Amino acid sequence: MNTEQIINYLTSAQKQFEYYKLLGEKTMAQLSDEELFWQANESSNSVAIIGKHLWGNMRSRWSDFLTSDGEKEWRNRDAEFEADIKNREELMQKWEEGWQTVFEALASITADNFATTIYIRNMGHTITEAVNRQMAHYAYHIGQLVFLGKLLKGKQWQSLSIAKGKSQAYNQEKFAKPKHREHFTQAFLKDKGN
C-alpha cells in the first residue's frame, strides 16, 4: 500500500470502530440498569458481561499494539465472562477504557510503521489483518448487544439504523444527491463531532 492508501484505510477503520462504539452506547442508553445485567440463562451473557469481555479483549489486543503480543500474560479471559460488574457506572468506565486503548493504538499507526508484524498468541498478522480481526470481533459482539437490546425493549426499542418501513425514503434521499465520496458512518457520527 502507498501512503495515501494506508491513511485511507486507517481513517476508515477509525470511523468503523467509532460506529460500533456508538451502536453499543445507544443500545446501553436504552436499557434500564436491571436490563444491562439480564441473562437468559446461566450459559448466556448479559450486556454487562459482553461489555466486560470487550474491555478485556481491547486492553489485551491494543496495549503496546506495535511491540507486544496481543494476548497479554496479565489477561484473564475466563474472568471476563464472570457476572461481577456492580453497576452501570463501572460498566461504562470499563467500556470507555477499552475503547480509549483501541483509539490510542490506532493513532500510533503510521505509514512508517505499517509494515510491522503484529503477533496475537504468537501468530503473525499484518496490521491490516490485526485491525480487521478486531473489527470483526467487535462487530460480532456489538451485534449481540443490539440483539439483546431489541429483545429486552420490544416495541419500545428505538432503531439504530434505517427504521422499519423507512428504507424507500432513506434511499430516495441518498440517490437525490450526486455521486460523491463519503464514509457511510458519517451520518451516524456527525452528532459526535466527526
Side-chain angles (χ1 to χ4, degrees):
M1 276 194 218
N2 65 37
T3 300
E4 183 180 357
Q5 290 170 320
I6 291 169
I7 292 168
N8 287 340
Y9 171 74
L10 293 172
T11 300
S12 179
Q14 170 88 19
K15 289 177 183 177
Q16 196 77 45
F17 280 119
E18 289 173 0
Y19 174 68
Y20 292 137
K21 180 178 187 279
L22 181 66
L23 290 179
E25 289 169 357
K26 285 188 170 191
T27 296
M28 290 185 281
Q30 291 187 53
L31 300 177
S32 68
D33 289 357
E34 181 180 316
E35 290 166 333
L36 287 174
F37 299 95
W38 178 84
Q39 290 178 254
N41 53 55
E42 280 188 28
S43 63
S44 67
N45 294 318
S46 66
V47 167
I49 290 171
I50 295 168
K52 182 181 171 191
H53 166 58
L54 286 168
W55 162 78
N57 178 278
M58 290 171 176
R59 289 180 59 239
S60 183
R61 293 290 184 267
W62 297 93
S63 294
D64 305 318
F65 178 70
L66 296 167
T67 58
S68 69
D69 194 282
E71 187 65 18
K72 304 296 187 281
E73 290 181 19
W74 45 257
R75 182 182 186 197
N76 184 352
R77 184 181 179 280
D78 292 335
E80 294 166 15
F81 294 96
E82 294 173 7
D84 59 359
I85 291 183
K86 295 170 192 64
N87 53 47
R88 179 184 297 268
E89 292 73 28
E90 183 182 354
L91 172 61
M92 297 314 296
Q93 180 272 324
K94 288 183 182 322
W95 178 264
E96 288 299 330
E97 182 182 351
W99 284 106
Q100 181 179 346
T101 307
V102 172
F103 294 129
E104 286 175 0
L106 281 173
S108 74
I109 304 168
T110 66
D112 292 335
N113 61 26
F114 198 78
T116 303
T117 299
I118 305 301
Y119 289 93
I120 302 172
R121 295 187 179 107
N122 274 346
M123 293 178 280
H125 297 61
T126 65
I127 284 185
T128 303
E129 290 168 335
V131 171
N132 289 351
R133 175 177 172 166
Q134 296 316 118
M135 190 181 305
H137 185 169
Y138 303 158
Y140 167 80
H141 285 304
I142 298 298
Q144 292 173 329
L145 292 182
V146 173
F147 177 78
L148 283 169
K150 290 174 84 168
L151 180 72
L152 289 163
K153 297 315 287 184
K155 291 182 180 186
Q156 285 78 44
W157 175 255
Q158 296 174 19
S159 178
L160 303 181
S161 62
I162 304 166
K164 194 172 187 175
K166 304 290 184 183
S167 296
Q168 187 174 2
Y170 183 83
N171 285 343
Q172 284 177 340
E173 178 189 333
K174 293 296 180 185
F175 284 110
K177 298 177 183 176
K179 288 186 178 184
H180 62 286
R181 179 111 169 81
E182 178 181 322
H183 199 276
F184 85 95
T185 61
Q186 185 170 329
F188 300 101
L189 297 174
K190 67 181 175 187
D191 296 336
K192 303 241 349 152
N194 295 316

